[in-house]
Amino acid sequence: MRSVRTIPVVLATFMLGTCGVAEAGDGALGWVSGDWYLTLGATGMVAPNFEGGKRYLLSASPIISLGKAGPQARFVSRNDNISLALIDDGGVRAGLTGKFLFSRSSDDELKGLAPVRWGGEAGGFFEFYPTDWLRARAELRHGIRAHNGFVADIAADAFYDVTPTVRISGGPRVSFASANYFDAYYGVNAAEAAASGLSEYHPGGGLKSTGLGGAITWKVTDPMTASLFGEYSRLMGPAAASSLVRERGDRNQFTIGVSTTYRFDFTM
């Protein structure tokens, strides 16, 4: 329910930003005018109860993508965060991206640690197709409210159409983060160490995780899709070295779930 309530806020932000561009001049207005698409969806998944945790819980998150209509996207992943495409010619797509971050409480294994506030991450993305069956995508985002660091995600997905309506896909993932990010989610200062019983830990920046992901996607109708997906990531670097992970968590993180999306086309 928290994810559903945040969707109007994000859409309003995107539209206000678009209107601001339109007011900048006739050239900007020409860019805004035309055919657009809005993809909305939701994901339900079983995943660790917190990043680095070893207990698993059921959760949900939104899928949102907004951009100018162009050549139909050859591949879309449920890992793609909220996106506003500014460049989209079929072979290359780039623009703005954002991600919701829910709060992390200080319950159970996290008792004694300072809670992490809800917030988000905002930045840019770039994706391209080295071949007709492979897409590479990179995102660089900066934290808002929840943390004050940077996160970079890189993924490559090979895809194959088993039938005209069923596609299988999968590939490697790698993630990096700055010291400020790791400090918010994996750091343990002296006061927290005394309150939680965990060893004190002050992380730097670097590699966060490596892993693999895959999905089976079904094109239910022309605008609607559904998919079954699975992800595995292994925490690395400052995340793996954290006392939270070593003493109470697990470096191996698994996620399995289902998602569905629907695409709306409109003209501005």
Side-chain angles (χ1 to χ4, degrees), residues 18-33:
T18 301
C19 291
V21 172
E23 293 172 357
D26 293 338
L29 181 60
W31 181 85
V32 172
S33 300

Side-chain angles (χ1 to χ4, degrees), residues 16 38 46 54 67 97 124 171 178 212 261:
L16 286 172
L38 172 64
V46 176
K54 61 182 179 181
T97 188
S178 67
L212 293 169
T261 63

Side-chain angles (χ1 to χ4, degrees), residues 37-63:
Y37 66 86
L38 172 64
T39 300
L40 297 178
T43 296
M45 70 191 101
V46 176
N49 56 331
F50 63 89
E51 192 173 293
K54 61 182 179 181
R55 293 194 300 117
Y56 285 76
L57 297 176
L58 178 64
S59 62
S61 63
I63 299 173

Side-chain angles (χ1 to χ4, degrees), residues 17-110:
T18 301
C19 291
V21 172
E23 293 172 357
D26 293 338
L29 181 60
W31 181 85
V32 172
S33 300
D35 296 326
W36 288 71
Y37 66 86
L38 172 64
T39 300
L40 297 178
T43 296
M45 70 191 101
V46 176
N49 56 331
F50 63 89
E51 192 173 293
K54 61 182 179 181
R55 293 194 300 117
Y56 285 76
L57 297 176
L58 178 64
S59 62
S61 63
I63 299 173
I64 306 174
S65 182
L66 175 68
K68 292 201 71 174
Q72 185 174 3
R74 283 180 267 173
F75 178 78
V76 177
S77 170
R78 74 102 197 168
N79 289 313
D80 300 347
N81 285 303
I82 303 165
S83 302
L84 171 59
L86 304 178
I87 299 171
D88 190 349
D89 68 1
V92 173
R93 190 167 177 260
L96 306 177
T97 188
K99 181 179 181 179
F100 296 122
L101 296 176
F102 296 125
S103 60
R104 190 186 75 176
S105 63
S106 300
D107 300 329
D108 301 325
E109 304 98 313
L110 303 170

Side-chain angles (χ1 to χ4, degrees), residues 17-250:
T18 301
C19 291
V21 172
E23 293 172 357
D26 293 338
L29 181 60
W31 181 85
V32 172
S33 300
D35 296 326
W36 288 71
Y37 66 86
L38 172 64
T39 300
L40 297 178
T43 296
M45 70 191 101
V46 176
N49 56 331
F50 63 89
E51 192 173 293
K54 61 182 179 181
R55 293 194 300 117
Y56 285 76
L57 297 176
L58 178 64
S59 62
S61 63
I63 299 173
I64 306 174
S65 182
L66 175 68
K68 292 201 71 174
Q72 185 174 3
R74 283 180 267 173
F75 178 78
V76 177
S77 170
R78 74 102 197 168
N79 289 313
D80 300 347
N81 285 303
I82 303 165
S83 302
L84 171 59
L86 304 178
I87 299 171
D88 190 349
D89 68 1
V92 173
R93 190 167 177 260
L96 306 177
T97 188
K99 181 179 181 179
F100 296 122
L101 296 176
F102 296 125
S103 60
R104 190 186 75 176
S105 63
S106 300
D107 300 329
D108 301 325
E109 304 98 313
L110 303 170
K111 188 174 182 180
L113 300 181
V116 178
R117 301 182 299 173
W118 65 268
E121 294 170 349
F125 77 93
F126 176 81
E127 62 183 47
F128 70 102
Y129 295 83
T131 70
D132 290 337
W133 47 267
L134 178 67
R135 188 200 72 166
R137 176 176 170 118
E139 295 187 9
L140 177 62
R141 307 180 304 274
H142 187 271
I144 301 171
R145 196 171 188 269
H147 67 87
N148 192 36
F150 283 94
V151 178
D153 293 329
I154 303 171
D157 287 274
F159 51 92
Y160 176 74
D161 294 329
V162 180
T163 73
T165 59
V166 177
R167 168 177 287 179
I168 57 174
S169 61
R173 287 90 169 89
V174 62
S175 183
F176 301 85
S178 67
N180 285 337
Y181 174 88
F182 283 119
D183 186 60
Y185 287 93
Y186 294 94
V188 181
N189 61 33
E192 291 173 321
S196 67
L198 292 168
S199 302
E200 188 172 347
Y201 179 64
H202 300 280
L207 180 62
K208 177 187 170 190
S209 66
T210 59
L212 293 169
I216 302 173
T217 304
W218 174 37
K219 189 174 183 180
V220 183
T221 63
D222 187 49
M224 184 177 182
T225 62
S227 67
L228 170 67
F229 63 87
E231 300 275 342
Y232 165 73
S233 64
R234 182 168 175 82
L235 298 179
M236 309 289 284
S242 171
S243 56
L244 176 60
V245 175
R246 289 187 293 103
E247 298 171 18
R248 296 186 185 170
D250 192 343

